[in-house]
Amino acid sequence: MRGFYSRKIHSLLGVIPLGGFFLEHMLTNFSAVEGGPSGFNDSVLWLNSLPLVFFLELFGIWLPLLYHGVFGLYIAYQSKPNLNRYNLERNWRYTLQRVTGIITFIFVVWHVFETRFQVALGNVKHEELGGVMHDIVTQPLLLAFYTIGIISASFHFANGLWSFLISWGVTVGPRAQKVSSFLCLGLFVLVTFMFLISLVTFRDSEFQSAAAIAQTLKAMI
Amino acid sequence: MMAEIAAAPKNVKFIITRQDDQQSTPYVEEFSLPYRPGMNVISALMEIQRNPVNAMGDHTVPVCWDSNCLEEVCGACSMVINGKPRQACAALIDNLEQPVRIEPMKTFPVVRDLVIDRTRMFNALKKVKAWIPIDGTYDLGPGPRMPEKKRQWAYELSKCMTCGVCLEACPNVNEKTNFIGPAAISQVRLFNAHPTGEMNSDDRLEALMEDGGIDGCGNSQNCVRACPKGIPLTTSIAEINKQTTKHMFKRWLGV
Ligand code: HEM
Ligand code: SF4
Ligand code: FES
C-alpha cells in the first residue's frame, strides 16, 4: 500500500478504535475500585454480553492492535533519535512516543497472554480474572512491570492523541499545539492515575478470596 | 613593551572532519589559527586555504567548503558547527565555544571535506512543483491579487534558502526513510497560498501524498527550532496535513 494511506490508517487506528478501547479498559478496571470484586465482575460480564462480541474484539481490538503495533515497531525502527543534538521538549516527546510504543508492545503481549489468552485456552474463566490480577500484582516484580507498562501505554496514548491532532490538520498553529499539549498532558496524568489506582486495588485480599471461591467452585464441579 | 603584550597573538583551535572523496573514510584534522577580530568560520577556512598548515605544523591539503553569498541567504555554506547544523558564514568565532568543531552535514552525500551535495532538496522542489506556471503562448493578463495579510506570512515562507539545516535536524530524514523533509512541504504551503499558484494545488498535494511524502513527519518539531530563517515549518506541515487530508476525502467522494 502507498505510504500515505497506510500511515493514515495507522494514525486513525491509534485513536479509533484503540484509544477508545484503552479508555473503556480504564473504566472497566476502575469498577474494581468502586464496586470491589463483584463490581469488576459485573463490568467484565457486561462487556462479554455485548452482541457479536467475537467480532467486536476482532475488529475493535485484535486486528487494529496487530496493524498499529507491528507498523508502529517499523516506524520506530526507521527513526534516528537525536536528543544529544536537540535536547528539546518536543523532541523528547517524539522519542518517548517511539520508546513507549515498544514498551507497550511488550507489555500488551505479556498482559494478553496472562489474561485473555488463558481465557481463550479455557484455563481461566472471565469471572476469575480479578483473582488472576490479584495473583499478578501481589508479586513486587510484576507489579513494577505492570506499573511501567501502564505509564508507557498512557503516555503513548495521550501524546499520540496530540500528534494525531497535528497529523490530521486539526491543531495547525503554535498556540493550538500548545493548548493541546496541556490537555494531553492532563489526560496522561488522569489515565495513569485511574489505571494505577485500579492496579493497587487488585492487591486487596477480597480479590484473593474471590479467586479462591472461584477455584473451589471449579474444583467442586 | 605594553603594546606587545596587548597584541600577543591569540590562537583559535579548529577540529575539522575531513574526507577526500565520496567513498573514502572521514578523518579529523586540527588547525590552530591566529585570532582576528570579527572572524567567522568561512574566514577561518579562507585562512587555511592561504596557509594550509595543520596544528602539528605539517603542510596539508586545504579544506574544501562551499559558499556564495556570505550573508546567510544562499544556504550553500551549511555545515555542522559545534554539533549544530548552521551557516558557516554567519558563525562568528566570538560566539562559538572553542575549540571549534566542524563537520559536514552527513544527512547529504559528502562530496569532499565540508562540501555536501544538496541535489535531493532541489529534486524535492521539482517533485512538488514549487513554482507558479504562468508561461503560455499568449499573454494571460494579470492574475488575481493577493490579500496583504496573506502576503505577509507567505513572505516569511519565501525566505527558505534550501540550506538543508531542517533536514539535518530531522530524526525522520535518514538512510532508512525517503522522507522529503520539512522545506519542500513548507514550499507547497507557500505556492498553494498564492492566488495563481492555488490553481495547481492538487498537483502539489498529490506529490506529497506519494511515497516519501508528508506522511514521513513524526512531529519531533526540531525543524522549526533549527531553521536559520525562522520559518514556521511546523505550522506549514500541519496546514499541509490538513490540505492533504481534505484532498484525500474529496478524491474518495469524487467531489
Ligand atoms: C502495541 C504496540 C504499539 C506500538 C509499537 C506503537 C507504535 C507507535 C508509533 C511508533 C507511533 C508514532 C507514529 C508517528 O508519530 O509517526 C504511534 C502513534 C500512535 N499510537 Fe501507537 N503503538 C502501539 C500501541 C498503541 C495503543 C495500544 C494505542 C492506543 C491506546 C496507540 C495509540 C497511538 C496514537 C493515538 C498514535 C498517534 C498517531 C499519529 O501520530 O497520527 N498505540 N504508535
Ligand atoms: S526551511 Fe529553513 S532550515 Fe529548511 S532549508 Fe529552508 S531555510 Fe533551511
Ligand atoms: S554563503 Fe550563503 S548562506 Fe553562507
Side-chain angles (χ1 to χ4, degrees):
Chain A
M1 211 186 321
R2 291 240 303 274
F4 182 80
Y5 297 98
S6 46
R7 272 302 286 274
K8 272 276 174 284
I9 292 170
H10 176 263
S11 172
L12 181 68
L13 291 181
V15 178
I16 305 166
L18 291 177
F21 169 69
F22 189 61
L23 291 178
E24 185 283 316
H25 195 347
M26 175 186 84
L27 294 177
T28 304
N29 291 4
F30 202 71
S31 64
V33 179
E34 288 189 316
S38 63
F40 179 66
N41 257 346
D42 289 348
S43 302
V44 173
L45 294 178
W46 173 79
L47 259 188
N48 284 288
S49 72
L50 290 176
L52 296 173
V53 68
F54 173 78
F55 292 98
L56 278 182
E57 272 190 297
L58 184 68
F59 293 109
I61 306 173
W62 304 128
L63 292 179
L65 195 59
L66 191 70
Y67 182 95
H68 182 95
V70 173
F71 195 9
L73 287 180
Y74 179 66
I75 294 170
Y77 155 80
Q78 280 189 313
S79 145
K80 201 173 165 186
N82 55 4
L83 282 171
N84 52 342
R85 238 190 219 181
Y86 294 99
N87 187 8
L88 304 170
E89 184 254 338
R90 298 273 161 97
N91 198 24
W92 267 99
R93 282 205 261 145
Y94 160 90
T95 312
L96 284 176
Q97 183 69 11
R98 279 138 188 84
V99 172
T100 55
I102 297 166
I103 297 175
T104 304
F105 192 93
I106 298 165
F107 173 63
V108 166
V109 170
W110 178 283
H111 176 55
V112 167
F113 176 79
E114 281 188 315
T115 54
R116 185 62 183 82
F117 191 64
Q118 297 305 321
V119 174
L121 288 183
N123 295 339
V124 174
K125 287 207 180 60
H126 284 297
E127 307 82 61
E128 295 166 351
L129 283 172
V132 170
M133 282 313 297
H134 175 81
D135 291 345
I136 292 170
V137 294
T138 41
Q139 302 172 50
L141 225 61
L142 283 179
L143 180 67
F145 177 59
Y146 265 70
T147 305
I148 293 169
I150 284 171
I151 295 172
S152 296
S154 304
F155 178 89
H156 187 86
F157 164 65
N159 191 58
L161 203 58
W162 175 80
S163 116
F164 172 89
L165 291 173
I166 299 172
S167 303
W168 292 76
V170 179
T171 47
V172 174
R175 189 148 35 96
Q177 293 179 4
K178 195 171 188 172
V179 170
S180 67
S181 289
F182 283 115
L183 291 178
C184 290
L185 179 71
L187 187 68
F188 166 58
V189 173
L190 179 78
V191 171
T192 308
F193 191 67
M194 297 262 292
F195 267 116
L196 285 183
I197 293 182
S198 314
L199 196 70
V200 172
T201 303
F202 282 118
R203 285 170 67 88
D204 220 285
S205 56
E206 52 179 351
F207 283 92
Q208 184 183 24
S209 30
I213 293 165
Q215 286 293 325
T216 29
L217 275 177
K218 211 159 108 181
M220 272 160 64
I221 298 163
Chain B
M1 215 28 206
M2 290 289 284
E4 257 178 51
I5 290 166
K10 208 165 73 166
N11 275 315
V12 187
K13 198 165 151 193
F14 291 84
I15 303 174
I16 303 180
T17 302
R18 308 193 56 177
Q19 186 170 331
D20 292 341
D21 57 50
Q22 292 209 26
Q23 272 72 45
S24 61
T25 38
Y27 60 98
V28 169
E29 192 161 37
E30 296 188 10
F31 295 87
S32 182
L33 306 177
Y35 173 82
R36 271 191 282 144
M39 76 192 287
N40 64 22
V41 169
I42 297 281
S43 75
L45 292 169
M46 286 170 156
E47 181 61 35
I48 294 173
Q49 193 178 41
R50 252 191 307 273
N51 180 28
V53 174
N54 65 23
M56 321 268 288
D58 296 332
H59 202 83
T60 184
V61 184
V63 179
C64 286
W65 79 93
D66 211 351
S67 65
N68 284 300
C69 68
L70 301 183
E71 54 176 357
E72 206 185 65
V73 292
C74 77
C77 67
S78 308
M79 51 188 78
V80 180
I81 299 167
N82 285 346
K84 288 262 160 56
R86 54 183 297 187
Q87 277 66 52
C89 66
L92 287 170
I93 300 299
D94 286 340
N95 300 337
L96 292 175
E97 200 183 294
Q98 291 175 23
V100 181
R101 289 164 200 278
I102 310 177
E103 302 158 69
M105 293 204 306
K106 292 200 193 72
T107 297
F108 301 88
V110 177
V111 178
R112 179 170 178 166
D113 292 340
L114 303 169
V115 180
I116 52 161
D117 180 0
R118 285 176 298 136
T119 302
R120 64 168 289 175
M121 295 200 72
F122 304 109
N123 285 343
L125 292 177
K126 285 187 213 161
K127 181 172 170 158
V128 302
K129 303 200 166 99
W131 59 77
I132 295 169
I134 49 166
D135 293 337
T137 50
Y138 60 95
D139 184 2
L140 295 169
R145 276 180 61 86
M146 192 173 198
E148 173 57 18
K149 238 179 123 179
K150 197 188 218 182
R151 187 201 62 78
Q152 280 181 7
W153 63 253
Y155 178 63
E156 296 304 317
L157 307 188
S158 75
K159 288 181 181 170
C160 176
M161 52 186 177
T162 328
C163 70
V165 164
C166 54
L167 274 76
E168 178 76 16
C170 177
N172 274 10
V173 174
N174 60 54
E175 324 77 58
K176 295 179 206 151
T177 72
N178 53 359
F179 178 37
I180 196 165
I185 297 174
S186 189
Q187 292 305 297
V188 169
R189 178 172 173 229
L190 170 65
F191 287 98
N192 280 6
H194 190 280
T196 307
E198 196 190 335
M199 297 170 188
N200 301 82
S201 64
D202 288 0
D203 292 347
R204 299 193 194 93
L205 295 179
E206 278 172 23
L208 284 182
M209 290 161 78
E210 279 170 16
D211 228 31
I214 192 166
D215 61 271
C217 174
N219 298 313
S220 81
Q221 305 209 334
N222 288 344
C223 54
V224 73
R225 302 284 292 266
C227 174
K229 292 290 162 186
I231 295 172
L233 291 165
T234 47
T235 308
S236 290
I237 292 171
E239 170 61 28
I240 296 303
N241 272 325
K242 182 190 223 155
Q243 292 185 19
T244 46
T245 303
K246 270 191 188 163
H247 186 69
M248 171 179 80
F249 284 119
K250 269 190 187 166
R251 230 169 30 177
W252 272 349
L253 301 172
V255 189

